[in-house]
Amino acid sequence: MQDVMSQSTTIFTAWYRPMLARQAGEEHRAASALELFFDLCFVVAVAQASSAFEHELVSGRPGRGLLGYALVFFAIWWAWMNFTWFASAYDTDDVPYRLLTLVQIIGALVMAAGASAALEHGDFAVITWGYVVMRLAMVSQWVRAACTDRERRRSALRYAVGILVLQVAWLVRLAGPVDGGTVTFAVLAVLELAVPVWAERAEGTAWHPQHIAERYGLFTLIVLGESVMAAGLAVGAALETHQRLGAVLPVALGGLLTVFALWWMYFAQDAPRRLRTQRTAMSWGYGHYVVFAAAAAVGAALAVNVAHVTGDRALTDVQAAAVYTVPVALFVTCVWLLHRRAAQVSAAGNVLPPAAAVVVLSLTFAPFSVLGTGVVASLLIAGSVVIARREEEESGS
């Protein structure tokens, strides 16, 4: 009888474990296989949002497409970000944790299914339901944490209550007038952003700087890869129909140079050094909305410019160029701002990124804007490498 009880206890322990906070200074803290799977599923939603954004741009509706893309991407980014920070603080990896993560993945796929309707028709019903499914799963996770982590119970309960109340508000919003949709979305989005600020003012959660930096870096890498894939499909379609190959190749080359430079710039930073306090962590997390959204928009913009040079004239030359130059400039500027205080660079190195962003924006009114952007981005990386090498030599002498 005692052996049976011992075996039952072992099985239960493997199935369910107390959700206790992980150590913020834990060594060899790396992203788990479940987190990587979560990211890959989320990229489906990012790809759908980018594709719908591209469709709106090609159809000659840049204003409506931009607004819809910003709103849809907020839902995707915010749901991803909340899971990421929770998993950094609490990651029991037991059966309930995995099942609740699966529920969030299902919600992400529902969001992906509703991305086109949201951007093209302003219908946020499907994407809202997917978002609510994800967020209610997070409520369950925070309740688990509150039950077992007594030291941080108030923070966990604040997260659970704040998220739950807002999910009810999101569902109520669906019954409201369409004309007030953007206003109510903005209000609820601000309240969503306020929940972590309010919750962390209690005991705070024990997130891991290296783990957070790795998670954000991996998602940036995946989003940039999705941009390359979207651009590659557009270029491939143009090459198959033999449409103005001479015009397509500069766009393809400029896109490749740009994406490579954006990757280099992002991963040249020492992110864990930036994540020292709760305040800097908040600015880091929130600032990545622009980083992720801009990186995903680059792929859609490349596809739009390929269509533009092969004969699709729904946009003017300046509009097609702006669709590409603006997200690139935003990415460069935002990464620079996120790391500016933590990075130990000279005044010259600190001036390069904003100067490059200004030059990229000026290329909106120049011919071959995509290729020019790629060249400027490459020169930014080259200049940064030269300055860094010079500083190393000076410090070693």
Side-chain angles (χ1 to χ4, degrees):
M1 183 65 179
Q2 187 175 4
D3 292 340
V4 173
M5 292 182 62
S6 178
Q7 185 177 6
S8 300
T9 303
T10 302
I11 294 174
F12 180 78
T13 303
W15 184 85
Y16 179 88
R17 288 180 289 181
M19 183 171 279
L20 301 176
R22 299 188 66 160
Q23 297 297 320
E26 180 181 343
E27 295 184 357
H28 309 296
R29 180 78 161 95
S32 66
L34 181 61
E35 289 173 322
L36 297 178
F37 181 61
F38 183 87
D39 288 358
L40 289 175
C41 293
F42 243 79
V43 169
V44 176
V46 173
Q48 289 296 321
S50 299
S51 178
F53 182 39
E54 175 194 340
H55 180 269
E56 289 297 289
L57 294 174
V58 172
S59 301
R61 298 185 290 267
R64 193 176 80 175
L66 179 60
L67 176 61
Y69 177 72
L71 299 183
V72 170
F73 203 91
F74 173 85
I76 297 171
W77 160 77
W78 189 243
W80 177 89
M81 177 171 149
N82 276 253
F83 169 79
T84 296
W85 287 83
F86 178 87
S88 186
Y90 301 95
D91 184 6
T92 58
D93 199 27
D94 57 5
V95 173
Y97 181 89
R98 291 188 176 191
L99 291 178
L100 286 172
T101 302
L102 175 61
V103 172
Q104 294 181 73
I105 290 174
I106 293 173
L109 297 179
V110 173
M111 289 174 63
S116 295
L119 266 82
E120 297 173 14
H121 308 293
D123 183 2
F124 280 81
V126 174
I127 202 169
T128 298
W129 280 107
Y131 180 79
V132 170
V133 167
M134 295 192 63
R135 302 295 278 147
L136 290 179
M138 281 305 307
V139 171
S140 300
Q141 298 279 39
W142 282 114
V143 169
R144 282 192 67 193
C147 291
T148 54
D149 187 5
R150 295 180 179 273
E151 183 180 351
R152 299 172 179 83
R153 176 170 294 176
R154 283 200 306 157
S155 286
L157 287 176
R158 286 187 180 188
Y159 272 111
V161 172
I163 295 172
L164 180 60
V165 170
L166 284 172
Q167 299 328 293
V168 175
W170 283 113
L171 293 178
V172 171
R173 174 182 175 273
L174 291 180
V178 177
D179 292 340
T182 303
V183 176
T184 56
F185 191 105
V187 171
L188 291 176
V190 171
L191 292 176
E192 288 272 13
L193 294 172
V195 169
V197 178
W198 172 56
E200 294 292 338
R201 284 181 178 176
E203 297 87 359
T205 54
W207 45 271
H208 193 285
Q210 283 76 20
H211 178 251
I212 287 294
E214 181 188 20
R215 295 286 288 112
Y216 273 75
L218 289 172
F219 198 71
T220 301
L221 190 64
I222 294 174
V223 172
L224 287 174
E226 189 275 330
S227 296
V228 172
M229 182 184 70
L233 292 175
V235 172
L239 294 178
E240 286 180 2
T241 56
H242 302 287
Q243 293 181 330
R244 302 188 62 182
L245 301 183
V248 171
L249 292 179
V251 174
L253 178 59
L256 182 61
L257 289 174
T258 301
V259 173
F260 185 69
L262 297 185
W263 167 83
W264 191 309
M265 179 182 183
Y266 186 91
F267 289 98
Q269 311 296 333
D270 184 5
R273 181 189 297 172
R274 181 76 176 92
L275 300 171
R276 290 180 174 177
T277 65
Q278 191 66 48
R279 184 175 180 179
T280 57
M282 287 286 182
S283 63
W284 166 273
Y286 290 179
H288 268 75
Y289 168 73
V290 178
V291 174
F292 291 157
V298 168
L302 279 171
V304 168
N305 276 271
V306 170
H308 185 73
V309 299
T310 54
D312 190 326
R313 295 293 174 176
L315 300 177
T316 65
D317 291 345
V318 172
Q319 287 176 328
V323 164
Y324 187 78
T325 57
V326 170
V328 172
L330 284 174
F331 184 99
V332 171
T333 302
C334 193
V335 171
W336 168 68
L337 288 174
L338 289 176
H339 292 279
R340 183 166 58 94
R341 292 182 179 179
Q344 298 177 350
V345 296
S346 63
N350 205 30
V351 168
L352 277 180
V358 171
V359 175
V360 167
L361 288 176
S362 69
L363 291 174
T364 302
F365 307 97
F368 301 103
S369 57
V370 175
L371 180 59
T373 298
V375 172
V376 171
S378 300
L379 291 175
L380 167 62
I381 300 304
S384 300
V385 170
V386 170
I387 291 174
R389 179 64 61 85
R390 183 181 301 171
E391 291 175 352
E392 288 180 1
E393 292 176 352
E394 291 176 354
S395 62
S397 59

